Every structure is written in C-alpha cells, then in structure tokens.
Amino acid sequence: MDDFEAAQERLHARQMEFLKNSSPDDWHRYAFFFNWNERLDGLFWIVGQPQCDRSTALLIFWKGEPTGYDYEEDDEPMGDDIYAVAPMLRFISERFNSGGYGRAEIAYDFLEATGHDAGSEYASVIEAGRLRDFEALVERQKDVPNARVKLHPDMMVLRVPGRKVGGYDDHSDFYDRFPEDDDGFEAAAAAPDLSDNRGVVAADRTGDRRADEGADPSARIRALRHRANADGDEAADASQATGVAGWLKGLFRR
C-alpha cells in the first residue's frame, strides 16, 4: 500500500467514525451529496442503522438506480464488496418488506434528489421517467418467488412529507465538520465542494471536477454524464442539460 492509499484508508476510518457520532439528519446529508464513484460502505452502514430515516433509505435506493441491476437475484451479503450496489438495494427492499424504517421525520422529494425542482421545464418528463421505473420493477418482479425483495408500496412514492434536510438550500455546517483530508492529501470526493454550482462534486486529488447534470433516475441517464472544466463551464452544463432533455423527450415518444 503506497502513501496515498494509506492516507485514504485513514481518512475513510475518520469519516466512518464521524458518521457513527452524527445524527440521522447528517446521515441524510451525507447520502444526498454522496459521490457514487466512491466506496459504498458508509451507505451500507447508514441503511442498516435502526434510526436510519425512511426518506434516507428511499434516497439511497433510488440513487442506486435499481432498474440497472437484477438485485432481486443477488445473493452476495451487503458489505462483502465495498463497491457493490445490488446487495444494498436488496437489503433496503428486504427491510421495507419486514418492518420498514420506523423513523420518518425527514422530507423526500425525488425531483430535488435528482437535481430538479417542481418549476423545472422538464419536471413532468422526469416524473414520468420515475413512474416508468416503478412499473418496470413491478413487472420484472412478478415472477420473483421471494416477496421480501420486491418493491414495497412505501418505496413507490415521489414525495414524503417532513422536515427539509440535505437539499441544495440546506446550509448546514455538516461539510465544515466532515473529515476531508489526511496527511496533506485531499479526500477522494466523499463530500462535495458546496461553493460550486449544484451537481458539481470534487472528483479526485488533482483538483479536477466532474459536472453532473443532476438527472439521475436510472442507469440510462448516468451514461450521459460528461467531464467539465475546473471552473464549472456554464456552457458545458447548458449543453448537457439540453442533450439530456432531448434524449428524454425522444425516449417518451417511443
């Protein structure tokens, strides 16, 4: 293990310790801004906690893009592979189907979770996409014998009432407290730089940034993401937003 890898392991240990000493609200903030290129064991830990909020579990499940995995058939225990999404999706589904997530204090809005708002020009298109995801999963799971891994009705929701936590307007000091570097190395993007525009997260220790148009309802859209320059080139963001919107319109005309 080289010096950078060792520093990253120490950093990860500090971040996990921070989560374990934080509130369910902070767990939700962590999940809201999480960079899915990173190791997932922080999310594994959160969804397994007794006090994990229902909205946090929904947020993580749908950001995990369940339509892109046959997670119902996955038999790998969650955590064996720190990058494996499918076992976590299965775990969340099983928990919803066997008692659920008892804490229900935090609001959830799928549009905000995907980088949009109700006033967005494409909100209705994005909403139609999520409804199609519901339908696709229910159809796919008709012949699955284990009812505990199927999509529970409480998971087929677009919004959950509650306190607003973790959105782009949440000015918590969470990321001032969250461990971000170790031994002079910058963290590998577990936490975003909130000084940038929405959807832009720290990408690696060289200081590069990855621009994300925010539309993340399924693996189909994730494939459309592209790299942007370090200053958050607005033209690149606008170009990608237009491209995603056009692609979605074409999808729903089929």
Side-chain angles (χ1 to χ4, degrees):
M1 181 181 296
D2 62 24
D3 289 345
F4 177 71
E5 290 173 336
Q8 292 301 292
E9 287 299 320
R10 290 192 295 273
L11 171 62
H12 178 69
R14 291 171 56 210
Q15 291 174 341
M16 290 300 300
E17 186 65 22
F18 175 87
L19 287 176
K20 292 175 182 179
N21 288 288
S22 297
S23 69
D25 283 12
D26 278 345
W27 302 344
H28 191 85
R29 293 183 177 99
Y30 175 87
F32 190 95
F33 290 108
F34 185 76
N35 177 0
W36 284 72
N37 289 332
E38 297 305 312
R39 56 192 293 170
L40 303 175
D41 35 354
L43 298 184
F44 299 160
W45 183 85
I46 289 171
V47 299
Q49 295 308 301
Q51 287 302 305
C52 175
D53 198 274
R54 177 179 56 169
S55 289
T56 306
L58 284 172
L59 176 74
I60 293 172
F61 181 83
W62 289 107
K63 278 186 172 290
E65 301 172 350
T67 57
Y69 300 89
D70 293 327
Y71 67 87
E72 306 91 345
E73 308 297 331
D74 194 283
D75 58 4
E76 179 183 356
M78 182 176 71
D80 277 9
D81 180 344
I82 60 173
Y83 294 99
V85 176
M88 179 174 65
L89 301 177
R90 180 182 173 117
F91 178 91
I92 295 171
S93 292
E94 289 180 330
R95 183 165 171 179
F96 266 101
N97 282 294
S98 57
Y101 287 82
R103 188 183 191 270
E105 299 180 11
I106 298 174
Y108 169 76
D109 186 306
F110 92 101
L111 280 173
E112 182 177 50
T114 56
H116 298 86
D117 57 56
S120 168
E121 180 180 359
Y122 305 109
S124 61
V125 177
I126 302 300
E127 182 166 327
R130 177 54 58 84
L131 295 176
R132 284 166 62 102
D133 287 344
F134 294 163
E135 294 172 0
L137 288 175
V138 169
E139 180 65 25
R140 188 177 82 188
Q141 295 169 354
K142 280 184 177 179
D143 297 325
V144 174
N146 184 358
R148 294 179 67 241
V149 302
K150 295 185 178 183
L151 200 62
H152 189 277
D154 287 349
M155 303 170 75
M156 292 186 282
V157 296
L158 300 177
R159 295 167 186 85
V160 174
R163 290 184 291 102
K164 178 74 174 296
V165 173
Y168 290 104
D169 295 327
D170 179 5
H171 300 298
S172 169
D173 65 349
F174 174 69
Y175 290 109
D176 291 334
R177 297 179 286 117
F178 189 78
E180 294 187 62
D181 55 54
D182 185 73
D183 292 348
F185 292 108
E186 292 185 10
D193 179 351
L194 297 184
S195 65
D196 269 338
N197 295 328
R198 76 170 53 180
V200 179
V201 294
D204 54 42
R205 63 191 174 111
T206 67
D208 290 342
R209 298 187 183 278
R210 182 169 62 87
D212 180 342
E213 81 287 346
D216 194 24
S218 73
R220 298 165 304 194
I221 296 175
R222 177 172 288 179
L224 298 176
R225 292 179 178 173
H226 71 292
R227 301 284 295 184
N229 60 22
D231 62 4
D233 190 318
E234 294 182 2
D237 290 343
S239 175
Q240 180 161 348
T242 300
V244 170
W247 180 84
L248 285 170
K249 287 182 176 179
L251 175 67
F252 290 108
R253 284 199 296 266
R254 294 174 186 171

